Amino acid sequence: MLRSVFLAAAGSARLGRLAVAAPISKSIAARFVAGDEADDAVRTSRRLADDGLAVTLEFLGAPTGSAEQAAATRDEYVSLLSRLAGAGLTPTAEVSVKLSALGQRIDDRLAFEHARAVCAAAAAAGTTVTLDAEDHGTTDSTLEILADLRKDFPDTGAVLQAYLRRTEGDCRELATAGSRVRLCKGAYPEPESVAYQSALDVDKSFVRCLNILMSGEGYPMIATHDPRLIAIGEDRARWFDRSAAEFEFQMLYGVCPEEQARLAAGGSTVRVYLPYGPQWYGYLLRRLAERPANLALLGKTLTAKR
Ligand code: FDA
């Protein structure tokens, strides 16, 4: 119930405008988001890299209702990639892109062209791009755009969501040589017709998908904070004789930082998903909705003396 309230609020532009102006929200956001500007993203990436962590950066810009906004998002990524290269942060830092932010809802072709420009900038900067997964209505279009991008940029990464019933099949398709695939549980409210609804069924699907990816020929990126699934990931790496260079763990900035440090200290590759940009409000509410205990953080911040 509380989760649905948070997720509904995450999509409200009016609440968003109010929240980004409030100092309380900003202080909570600082735990999960690098800041408003590319400078903040580069600075935080540097700190994480110094701690032995790889990074994938997402720009949180205005919701993409127009072709102008989609082009502005493309330009932001292109400029960020050149700054990351200039700061010596590539290939440690790559970027994650939502095709909806590049105009997918306006026209698939427009999103493809913008994504192509971002992939070209990433290649010039010596790093990679991963296409985030969004609601199930976009999955076919996203995987088609991915296949087209991979013709010129074969290291473009995909994201597959274990809660979708189709994902085992998608894992089989994508577990090929050179194919980078991030496996996550899935974050959007989805109907029973397309998605497993219980946490147990999602976890079981995650493990089946993980088995396919880890036994395949691609490069699996295990995106979870769930300690049981992380342990199973470590186990599968041993079973399938994968070295630390042949798969990675991924976690969100600000979530389970001790576990990120533990895995990295043990020799695993760990990549932190680091968002930045002015429109962090929706992202923040999705993170708070994922875990009721985060409400305690909200409460503490609201009652702290300022
Ligand atoms: P689960 O939600 O079961 O959490 C396991 C444990 O992790 C919790 O008990 C808690 O301890 C901790 N935890 C998890 N979330 C937390 C939070 N917000 N605050 C504090 N503690 C928390 N989804 C999607 O649909 N498309 C995408 O492209 C991506 N991309 C992506 C990239 C990366 C790097 C990650 C880590 C995740 C995504 N996701 C995503 C989100 C993913 O689908 C999922 O919603 C979250 O990762 C939470 O699921 P867990 O696997 O962590 O398990």
Side-chain angles (χ1 to χ4, degrees), residues 271-301:
R271 188 176 300 278
V272 177
Y273 189 101
L274 178 63
Y276 78 98
Q279 295 298 320
W280 43 262
Y281 159 80
Y283 177 88
L284 175 65
L285 282 193
R286 280 192 293 278
R287 297 292 76 82
L288 294 177
E290 268 162 7
R291 196 165 178 243
N294 283 338
L295 289 176
L297 177 71
L298 181 63
K300 243 195 263 168
T301 316

Side-chain angles (χ1 to χ4, degrees), residues 235-301:
D235 208 45
R236 296 307 185 264
R238 281 188 293 272
W239 279 20
F240 298 116
D241 205 20
R242 278 183 180 266
S243 70
E246 292 171 314
F247 76 103
E248 67 187 45
F249 289 104
Q250 296 193 343
M251 296 190 207
L252 303 175
Y253 180 65
V255 178
C256 304
E258 302 81 13
E259 181 63 359
Q260 296 173 15
R262 181 192 74 81
L263 287 167
S268 296
T269 306
V270 180
R271 188 176 300 278
V272 177
Y273 189 101
L274 178 63
Y276 78 98
Q279 295 298 320
W280 43 262
Y281 159 80
Y283 177 88
L284 175 65
L285 282 193
R286 280 192 293 278
R287 297 292 76 82
L288 294 177
E290 268 162 7
R291 196 165 178 243
N294 283 338
L295 289 176
L297 177 71
L298 181 63
K300 243 195 263 168
T301 316

Side-chain angles (χ1 to χ4, degrees), residues 31-32 132-133 159 161 182 184-188 223-226 250-252 255-256 273 287 290-291 294:
R31 176 177 156 188
F32 296 103
D132 280 353
V159 178
Q161 298 152 313
R182 175 193 302 159
C184 64
K185 288 189 182 180
Y188 296 76
T224 184
H225 316 92
D226 186 327
Q250 296 193 343
M251 296 190 207
L252 303 175
V255 178
C256 304
Y273 189 101
R287 297 292 76 82
E290 268 162 7
R291 196 165 178 243
N294 283 338

Side-chain angles (χ1 to χ4, degrees), residues 58-74 77 97-107 110-111 114 134 279:
E58 186 202 0
F59 173 61
L60 304 170
T64 312
S66 69
E68 289 72 30
Q69 281 163 344
T73 299
R74 173 203 61 200
Y77 273 109
V97 173
K98 286 191 174 40
L99 288 176
S100 65
L102 294 179
Q104 191 179 30
R105 291 198 183 94
I106 306 167
D107 175 13
L110 178 74
H114 288 339
E134 301 181 64
Q279 295 298 320

